[in-house]
């Protein structure tokens, strides 16, 4: 199913103010990305552990925190595998090598099965024996000895394989597959936004310019209701306008929900760009106001969300007393 969608950003002119008024120099040091601002919005405590305590930027950083940051929940890992499979399929196709659906699914299944196998008997104190160069993936469902870890990971595997099959075979996505095979198309491409008071970056899944328009594609697993990602899509649009040197009405953003077989598209408007800029600047101000607390290791400045659904998927709950209490309630 494919349809046009008119998405828009909420009005942020009445947004929340930060506790402090950070200087221009402080804002300039901020590294904004959609995933980073999403972490801060969802749970400031997780933001602290992710971007300060586990990156050597806080006095409270230690080997246990560094290891826990590397854990992935089943949704994160299957999403990562899905993007790897898609990008590999498109790059192989460019060189004349066509991977069948069966081969793609088998590869994805093997990758996730290896993660599960490695994670099942993970020692509780594994962080004490992990070296910095070891970048092996471990699943947090097994690390935390969740009683239904097997069932949850099996369900995630089914969704992954369904998404891979839909990408490879569903005619709804045929045009995007063809676009990705074009040697000039950009795949898993790092992007930077210009003319912001902070550094702003991200990564697009697929982008290409033809005679009539610029196409930007965001692959999503689908199958569940996600949050509002209009800011993310507007960010892609802002980058595309600058990178390709086109007007907003020449940019078409596609969101592909693979498990659902659903493809939505939207044109970028000046209003979307204006509101997205305001949101990014506001995010940067909030991040800058918290930066000194992060470096000083003042964890109390980062309020835990204490929301059960969020805490259940958080890799840092071993370190967060509020998160554990929320889950035990």
């Amino acid at each position: 199913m494919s349809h046009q969608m008119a998405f828009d950003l909420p009005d942020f002119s009445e947004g929340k103010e930060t506790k402090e008024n950070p200087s221009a120099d402080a804002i300039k040091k901020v590294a904004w990305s959609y995933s980073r601002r999403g972490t801060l919005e969802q749970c400031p405590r997780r933001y602290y552990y992710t971007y300060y305590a586990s990156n050597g930027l806080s006095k409270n950083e230690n080997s246990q925190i560094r290891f826990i940051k590397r854990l992935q929940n089943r949704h994160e890992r299957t999403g990562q595998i899905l993007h790897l499979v898609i990008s590999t399929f498109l790059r192989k196709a460019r060189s004349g090598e066509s991977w069948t659906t069966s081969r793609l699914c088998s590869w994805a299944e093997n990758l996730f099965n290896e993660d599960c196998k490695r994670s099942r008997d993970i020692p509780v104190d594994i962080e004490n024996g992990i070296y910095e160069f070891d970048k092996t993936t471990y699943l947090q469902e097994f690390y935390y000895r969740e009683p239904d870890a097997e069932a949850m990971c099996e369900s995630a595997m089914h969704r992954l394989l369904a998404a891979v099959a839909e990408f490879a075979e569903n005619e709804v996505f045929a045009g995007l597959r063809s676009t990705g095979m074009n040697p000039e198309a950009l795949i898993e491409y790092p992007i930077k936004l210009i003319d912001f008071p902070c550094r702003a970056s991200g990564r697009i899944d697929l982008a290409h310019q033809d005679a009539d328009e610029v196409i930007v594609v965001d692959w999503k697993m689908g199958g569940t209701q996600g949050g509002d990602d209009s800011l993310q899509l507007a960010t892609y649009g802002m980058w595309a306008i600058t990178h390709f040197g086109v007007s907003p009405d020449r940019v078409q953003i596609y969101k592909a929900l693979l498990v659902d077989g659903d493809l939505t598209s939207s044109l970028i408007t000046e209003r979307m760009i204006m509101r997205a800029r305001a949101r990014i600047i506001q995010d940067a101000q909030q991040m800058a106001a918290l930066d000194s607390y992060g470096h000083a290791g003042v964890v109390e400045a980062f309020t835990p969300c204490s929301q059960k659904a969020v805490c259940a998927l958080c890799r840092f709950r071993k370190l967060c007393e509020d998160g554990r209490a929320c889950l035990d309630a």
Side-chain angles (χ1 to χ4, degrees):
M1 176 174 62
S2 176
H3 57 276
Q4 187 87 19
M5 178 180 64
F7 67 81
D8 201 355
L9 289 166
D11 190 345
F12 297 111
S13 60
E14 301 296 329
K16 296 180 180 179
E17 296 183 0
T18 56
K19 296 180 180 180
E20 299 180 2
N21 186 21
S23 67
D25 286 340
I27 295 174
K28 189 181 297 184
K29 297 176 182 178
V30 167
W32 183 96
S33 70
Y34 182 75
S35 60
R36 183 169 183 144
R37 62 91 50 198
T39 301
L40 177 58
E41 182 178 61
Q42 192 173 63
C43 181
R45 182 63 55 85
R46 186 171 70 181
Y47 178 82
Y48 167 75
Y49 283 128
T50 301
Y51 296 105
Y52 291 98
S54 58
N55 279 352
L57 298 179
S58 167
K59 68 177 185 179
N60 293 337
E61 181 259 359
N62 58 46
S63 61
Q64 182 187 53
I65 295 176
R66 288 198 303 272
F67 171 76
I68 290 176
K69 181 189 177 182
R70 291 167 39 194
L71 295 172
Q72 289 185 305
N73 67 52
R74 61 197 183 279
H75 303 304
E76 292 169 330
R77 180 53 178 160
T78 53
Q80 186 180 66
I81 292 173
L82 175 64
H83 281 79
L84 174 63
V85 168
I86 290 175
S87 62
T88 300
F89 170 86
L90 295 176
R91 290 189 173 105
K92 292 293 184 180
R94 289 180 178 185
S95 63
E97 184 178 347
S98 179
W99 282 28
T100 65
T101 303
S102 176
R103 182 176 181 180
L104 293 173
C105 288
S106 178
W107 184 36
E109 184 174 15
N110 287 339
L111 287 173
F112 193 60
N113 275 337
E114 283 299 313
D115 294 332
C116 292
K117 180 180 179 181
R118 182 188 315 112
S119 304
R120 275 189 187 97
D121 300 318
I122 183 172
V124 175
D125 61 346
I126 186 174
E127 57 266 24
N128 297 326
I130 289 291
Y131 298 99
E132 289 297 319
F133 61 81
D134 181 1
K135 302 303 180 184
T136 306
T137 296
Y138 294 96
L139 299 171
Q140 69 181 53
E141 288 81 3
F142 293 103
Y143 177 77
Y144 285 115
R145 306 296 198 269
E146 298 187 22
D148 50 354
E150 294 287 354
M152 290 190 296
C153 289
E154 183 178 359
S155 177
M157 169 76 84
H158 290 321
R159 290 182 64 244
L160 169 62
L161 298 182
V164 171
E166 287 290 319
F167 162 78
E169 298 181 351
N170 195 324
E171 285 302 308
V172 169
F173 308 121
L176 300 185
R177 291 194 298 269
S178 179
T179 295
M181 295 176 193
N182 190 308
E184 297 182 357
L186 304 176
I187 299 173
E188 295 289 331
Y189 188 77
I191 66 174
K192 292 183 179 180
L193 303 181
I194 63 172
D195 297 329
F196 278 93
C198 63
R199 290 172 288 151
S201 62
R203 182 176 295 271
I204 53 97
D205 295 337
L206 176 64
H208 180 252
Q209 180 182 26
D210 59 23
D212 299 319
E213 66 178 1
V214 171
I215 294 173
V216 180
V217 182
D218 186 29
W219 306 113
K220 301 284 190 184
M221 182 78 71
T224 59
Q225 293 296 322
D228 178 22
D229 58 2
S230 54
L231 175 59
Q232 182 183 30
L233 301 182
T235 300
Y236 295 157
M238 282 193 288
W239 164 80
I241 290 167
T242 302
H243 182 85
F244 294 103
V246 298
S247 58
D249 61 353
R250 291 275 308 280
V251 179
Q252 189 88 240
I253 307 291
Y254 287 94
K255 182 168 68 172
L257 301 175
L258 296 174
V259 169
D260 307 302
D262 188 25
L263 181 64
T264 60
S265 65
S266 178
L267 292 172
I268 296 296
T269 67
E270 292 286 357
R271 183 181 179 184
M272 286 176 55
I273 294 172
M274 178 184 67
R275 292 187 172 186
R277 287 187 63 87
R279 175 73 270 184
I280 292 173
I281 293 171
Q282 194 176 85
D283 290 340
Q285 291 172 339
Q286 185 177 12
M287 291 174 179
L290 289 168
D291 191 54
S292 61
Y293 297 108
H295 284 287
V298 184
V299 65
E300 294 80 10
F302 300 82
T303 307
C305 70
S306 297
Q307 298 178 26
K308 200 158 192 172
V310 175
C311 295
L313 293 175
C314 181
R315 71 197 70 178
F316 295 109
R317 65 179 184 262
K318 183 174 185 177
L319 309 172
C320 181
E321 182 178 346
D322 295 85
R324 294 195 305 274
C326 174
L327 293 174
D328 293 338

